[in-house]
């Protein structure tokens, strides 16, 4: 700016006479007058704005880095003492200061996996009903209710789970499961033990209930985004209602649906309160679905007050937090790769 | 096979009436064009013919439509739509499917076709849609990877693959350039040997080029229906004459 012999910007062309690239002195003054005020202010504002958003953008990176650094610092005593053994052992003994994170990793992954297993089909069903089957007067209000359910605080779900779901699971569902599928050879172990109500299965069910609204409302949005001409293309080929949904709608929306599932999974992995209130909080590897257990999130919630500052115990809890952080990132990355692959395979648009 | 008779048809969207007492006959194995200004009910009329009109929420109709003597609303809508294919204004191949899968889609939906039969039908349909030469080396490529004109011919092939008797075309060239349009028009001209074709178009030259019969609609009413030549050269109605001479529309 200002370096190039830009005559257009110069109201006094006579002064530029010596510049070789400039026009001959007798040439008329070009139409462009001095930069208008609005334009100058705009340019000034533009650079300020760019600086601002750049700072904000890098600020997020800095925050993430700071977060990891502080966690790593806090976890240092534990990192030093246990090294990689922290990730491969399953004793969690604050009294003798021996810590291994395996039970909680298993608890976290297991409850989230079961929750997804329950929640995904239900959510898909809800979303399909809302967008494809429900009469118009019903789909609006019903969709709103689903979205409202996603906003219920987790402690409310947890409390409801503790006073309603836990006894029901203990008295009806779990003995029922033991008496039926538990009898199938090979599955006895999975449904073994005395049903206590506060266990892996119950907290998985609570998690499922919590992520169903999230997954179904995101799924609903991506089904709504399928253009009408896709549905009509299937219908005009002689597809039934269900075939249209399966053929044109679900396939078109598949990446959005996978995104919804990832979102639900992310919520399930990190959910703390409701799980803490229903999982039984036992620091051991669960032996069956009816075992009490612990997720990383519930471990932290349960024990963060009992560990002294700077102690190895506190270090171990902070390291567990780091592990949860890593699991969440890993799951997200894997899921994203999966989405990319699905899209490539299907040659999506 | 493929003779449509429309009798005193009224169609509505919610409280708005889109068609007023339309009666006409689409003769079999001919191309009939429906022309008229935007919003005159052309699309609504052909969407009634394959009962796609009733899919729109709160849409309804009165009057009768029969296909080869049978009232279509007494038939199974799914079966009717297999006999009456449709091509839409915007090319709408299924984006998650390959060229081959797109054409085979209707047969897959029907079920019960062995692989070699599907192969044959895909070949025949692509050939008929004048697309085979351009895609034969790329059958496994994505359908949406083709150009706009190719995508539209792909959609025509997809409609032809289930061997319908009637092909409805709702402004099939309005999103295409002149070269692609010319290809589709040639194709429509060939199709009339085997199919009853009903084409909605904005383009009067197009109607004159491809259609043996032309219907002119205005404000939801059928104004005139005649041999294309007669309609364009000696229209009976004043309204038709003003429209085709470009005085409005």
């Amino acid at each position: 700016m200002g370096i190039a012999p830009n005559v257009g910007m110069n109201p006094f062309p006579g002064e530029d006479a010596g510049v070789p690239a400039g026009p001959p002195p007798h040439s008329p003054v070009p139409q462009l007058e001095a930069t208008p005020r609005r334009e100058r202010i705009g340019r000034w504002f533009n650079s300020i704005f760019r600086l601002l958003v750049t700072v904000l953008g890098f600020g997020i990176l800095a925050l993430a880095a700071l977060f990891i650094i502080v966690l790593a610092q806090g976890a240092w005593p534990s990192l030093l003492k246990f090294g990689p053994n922290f990730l491969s052992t399953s004793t969690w003994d604050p009294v003798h200061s021996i810590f291994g994170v395996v039970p909680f990793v298993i608890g976290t992954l297991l409850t989230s996996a079961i929750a997804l297993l329950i929640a995904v089909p239900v959510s898909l069903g809800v979303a399909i009903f809302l967008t494809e089957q429900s009469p118009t007067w019903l789909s609006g209000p019903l969709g709103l209710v689903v979205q409202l359910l996603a906003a219920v605080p987790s402690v409310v779900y947890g409390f409801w789970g503790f006073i309603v779901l836990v006894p029901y699971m203990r008295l009806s569902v779990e003995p029922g499961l033991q008496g039926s599928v538990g009898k199938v050879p090979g599955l006895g172990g999975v449904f073994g033990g005395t049903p206590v109500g506060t266990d892996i299965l119950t907290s998985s069910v609570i998690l499922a209930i919590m992520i169903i609204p999230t997954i179904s409302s995101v799924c609903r949005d991506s089904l709504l985004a399928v253009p009408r001409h896709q549905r009509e293309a299937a219908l005009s080929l002689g597809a039934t209602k269900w075939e249209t949904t399966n053929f044109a709608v679900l396939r078109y929306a598949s990446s959005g649906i996978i995104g919804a599932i990832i979102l639900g999974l992310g919520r399930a992995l990190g959910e703390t309160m409701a799980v803490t209130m229903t999982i039984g909080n036992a620091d051991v590897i669960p032996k069956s679905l009816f075992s009490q257990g612990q997720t990383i999130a519930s471990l932290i919630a349960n024990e963060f007050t009992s560990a002294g500052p700077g102690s190895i115990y506190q270090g171990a809890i902070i390291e567990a937090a780091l592990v949860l952080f890593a699991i969440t990132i890993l799951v997200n990355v894997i899921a994203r790769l999966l989405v990319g692959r699905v899209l490539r395979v299907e040659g999506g648009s | 096979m493929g003779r449509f008779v429309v009798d005193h048809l009224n169609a509505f969207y919610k409280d708005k009436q889109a068609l007023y007492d339309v009666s006409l006959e689409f003769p079999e194995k001919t191309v009939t064009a429906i022309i008229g200004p935007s919003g005159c009910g052309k699309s609504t009329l052909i969407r009634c013919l394959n009962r796609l009109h009733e899919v729109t929420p709160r849409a309804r109709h009165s009057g009768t439509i029969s296909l080869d003597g049978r009232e279509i609303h007494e038939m199974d809508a799914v079966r009717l739509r297999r006999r009456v294919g449709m091509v839409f204004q915007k090319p709408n191949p299924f984006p998650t499917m390959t060229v081959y899968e797109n054409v085979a889609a209707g047969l897959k939906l029907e079920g019960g076709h062995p692989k070699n039969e599907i192969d044959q039908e895909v070949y025949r349909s692509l050939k008929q849609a004048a697309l085979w030469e351009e895609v034969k080396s790329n059958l496994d490529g994505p359908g949406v990877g083709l150009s706009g004109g190719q995508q539209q011919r792909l959609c025509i092939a997809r409609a032809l693959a289930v061997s319908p008797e009637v092909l409805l075309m709702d402004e099939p060239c309005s999103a295409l350039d002149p070269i692609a349009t010319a290809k589709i028009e040639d194709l429509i001209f060939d199709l009339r040997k085997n199919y009853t074709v009903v084409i909605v178009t904005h383009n009067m030259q197009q109607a004159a080029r491809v259609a043996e019969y032309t219907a002119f609609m205005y404000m939801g009413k059928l104004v005139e229906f005649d041999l294309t030549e007669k309609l364009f050269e000696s229209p009976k109605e004043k309204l038709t004459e003003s429209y085709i001479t470009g005085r409005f529309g």
Side-chain angles (χ1 to χ4, degrees):
Chain A
M1 249 187 255
I3 297 165
N6 192 345
V7 260
M9 309 281 253
N10 195 333
F12 309 108
E15 290 180 15
D16 270 343
V19 180
H26 61 267
S27 77
V29 179
Q31 271 71 20
L32 250 173
E33 293 183 9
T35 325
R37 215 173 101 83
R38 210 185 114 259
E39 201 172 302
R40 267 192 332 234
I41 293 178
R43 209 172 289 157
W44 177 82
F45 181 78
N46 216 0
S47 50
I48 295 273
F49 182 71
R50 192 190 316 172
L51 187 72
L52 186 73
V53 291
T54 311
V55 167
L56 288 176
F58 279 99
I60 283 291
L61 274 185
L63 203 66
L66 198 71
F67 185 69
I68 293 175
I69 291 169
V70 169
L71 276 184
Q73 250 175 5
W76 197 243
S78 158
L79 277 167
L80 268 188
K81 183 159 180 206
F82 305 111
N85 287 339
F86 186 77
L87 298 175
S88 60
T89 57
S90 53
T91 312
W92 187 268
D93 184 354
V95 180
H96 300 100
S97 282
I98 304 168
F99 299 104
V101 81
V102 171
F104 318 116
V105 172
I106 292 177
T108 303
L109 294 179
L110 192 60
T111 49
S112 295
I114 299 171
L116 274 192
L117 226 57
I118 301 170
V120 169
V122 176
S123 309
L124 263 180
V126 170
I128 290 172
F129 175 74
L130 285 176
T131 57
E132 310 295 315
Q133 304 284 347
S134 145
T136 359
W137 59 267
L138 184 62
S139 58
L142 214 57
L144 195 70
V145 170
V146 171
Q147 276 174 334
L148 280 179
L149 280 177
V152 174
S154 61
V155 66
V156 176
Y157 277 113
F159 192 54
W160 174 83
F162 187 75
I163 58 177
V164 178
L165 189 63
V166 166
Y168 182 66
M169 294 293 282
R170 181 180 65 231
L171 299 173
S172 308
V173 177
E174 295 180 350
L177 281 174
Q178 250 174 359
S180 52
V181 276
K183 294 267 195 292
V184 176
L187 288 181
V190 179
F191 298 96
T194 317
V196 284
T198 49
D199 53 32
I200 294 282
L201 186 64
T202 306
S203 54
S204 304
V205 171
I206 277 284
L207 277 178
I209 294 172
M210 290 181 66
I211 63 179
I212 283 171
T214 312
I215 300 181
S216 20
S217 66
V218 178
C219 275
R220 170 174 164 263
D221 289 345
S222 49
L223 295 190
L224 281 178
V226 177
R228 203 175 82 173
H229 64 68
Q230 285 291 315
R231 295 184 172 85
E232 292 188 340
L235 284 174
S236 74
L237 285 174
T240 61
K241 188 94 194 178
W242 153 245
E243 287 165 343
T244 303
T245 302
N246 184 29
F247 218 69
V249 180
L250 288 183
R251 289 179 72 162
Y252 191 97
S254 56
S255 61
I257 291 170
I258 295 175
I261 295 171
I262 297 172
L263 207 67
L265 178 58
R267 192 164 179 210
L269 286 173
E271 173 49 41
T272 309
M273 208 54 225
V275 173
T276 309
M277 292 163 90
T278 53
I279 201 169
N281 305 312
D283 302 337
V284 291
I285 295 178
K287 290 186 189 63
S288 79
L289 292 181
F290 303 155
S291 303
Q292 299 187 313
Q294 189 87 283
T295 65
I296 299 179
S298 72
L299 167 84
I300 298 169
N302 271 309
E303 305 191 5
F304 81 103
T305 45
S306 33
S311 65
I312 289 188
Y313 188 16
Q314 196 192 40
I317 293 175
I318 296 176
E319 195 177 345
L322 264 179
V323 172
L324 178 59
F325 192 46
I327 289 178
T328 315
I329 289 175
L330 207 69
V331 165
N332 264 291
V333 168
I334 292 173
R336 238 156 260 269
L337 290 178
L338 214 71
V339 174
R341 231 178 65 107
V342 168
L343 287 187
R344 262 202 308 286
V345 167
E346 296 183 339
S349 53
Chain B
M1 294 298 267
R3 175 167 164 271
F4 263 117
V5 179
V6 178
D7 198 19
H8 297 293
L9 181 69
N10 292 284
F12 308 82
Y13 295 102
K14 292 181 185 170
D15 305 321
K16 206 180 147 286
Q17 188 160 2
L19 290 181
Y20 294 86
D21 198 36
V22 172
S23 299
L24 80 165
E25 190 185 318
F26 298 100
E28 59 188 292
K29 304 230 160 68
T30 49
V31 180
T32 305
I34 305 175
I35 60 170
S38 296
C40 70
K42 316 182 284 286
S43 295
T44 307
L45 175 58
I46 70 164
R47 288 168 65 87
C48 284
L49 297 181
N50 68 346
R51 292 180 59 186
L52 213 51
H53 174 67
E54 68 196 52
V55 174
T56 315
R58 298 184 62 191
R60 61 204 165 78
H61 79 281
S62 68
T64 61
I65 302 170
S66 64
L67 175 59
D68 296 329
R70 273 195 66 199
E71 160 60 26
I72 61 168
H73 296 91
E74 286 161 12
M75 300 179 195
D76 179 35
V78 167
R79 219 166 284 164
L80 170 74
R81 293 190 192 120
R82 285 197 187 131
R83 292 174 60 187
V84 183
M86 191 168 198
V87 176
F88 297 82
Q89 190 168 352
K90 247 185 72 191
N92 56 356
F94 298 119
T96 56
M97 299 183 195
T98 64
V99 171
Y100 179 93
E101 288 170 332
N102 261 289
V103 181
L107 297 168
K108 282 269 166 58
L109 282 171
E110 269 180 31
H113 297 279
K115 172 89 170 82
N116 61 338
E117 188 191 326
I118 295 182
D119 282 350
Q120 234 164 44
E121 290 298 301
V122 168
Y123 170 76
R124 174 189 65 80
S125 314
L126 283 171
K127 206 76 178 167
Q128 253 181 351
L131 189 61
W132 174 256
E133 291 304 322
E134 290 161 62
V135 298
K136 64 181 175 191
S137 59
N138 190 29
L139 289 176
D140 292 328
V144 286
L146 304 176
S147 75
Q150 289 174 328
Q151 284 189 29
Q152 192 63 302
R153 276 178 284 150
L154 179 65
C155 292
I156 295 175
R158 181 176 67 185
L160 295 179
V162 286
S163 307
E165 297 151 35
V166 183
L167 192 61
L168 307 173
M169 306 179 109
D170 190 357
E171 297 187 36
C173 302
S174 64
L176 304 180
D177 64 54
I179 295 173
T181 301
K183 281 192 181 160
I184 305 247
E185 285 180 8
D186 287 347
L187 166 62
I188 295 170
F189 204 74
D190 288 340
L191 287 178
R192 66 181 169 164
K193 288 171 215 148
N194 303 306
Y195 306 91
T196 304
V197 178
V198 181
I199 175 172
V200 164
T201 177
H202 255 116
N203 181 334
M204 282 179 277
Q205 284 77 27
Q206 183 168 66
R209 281 191 298 262
V210 302
E212 290 150 275
Y213 287 89
T214 298
F216 170 60
M217 291 184 68
Y218 185 66
M219 306 263 286
K221 297 191 179 84
L222 177 68
V223 178
E224 191 164 350
F225 175 61
D226 214 330
L227 284 165
T228 304
E229 233 167 272
K230 274 195 186 162
L231 188 120
F232 279 105
E233 278 164 19
S234 50
K236 290 191 208 77
E237 302 288 330
K238 259 246 138 48
L239 209 53
T240 316
E241 192 187 337
S242 334
Y243 183 72
I244 58 179
T245 51
R247 250 169 274 159
F248 75 96

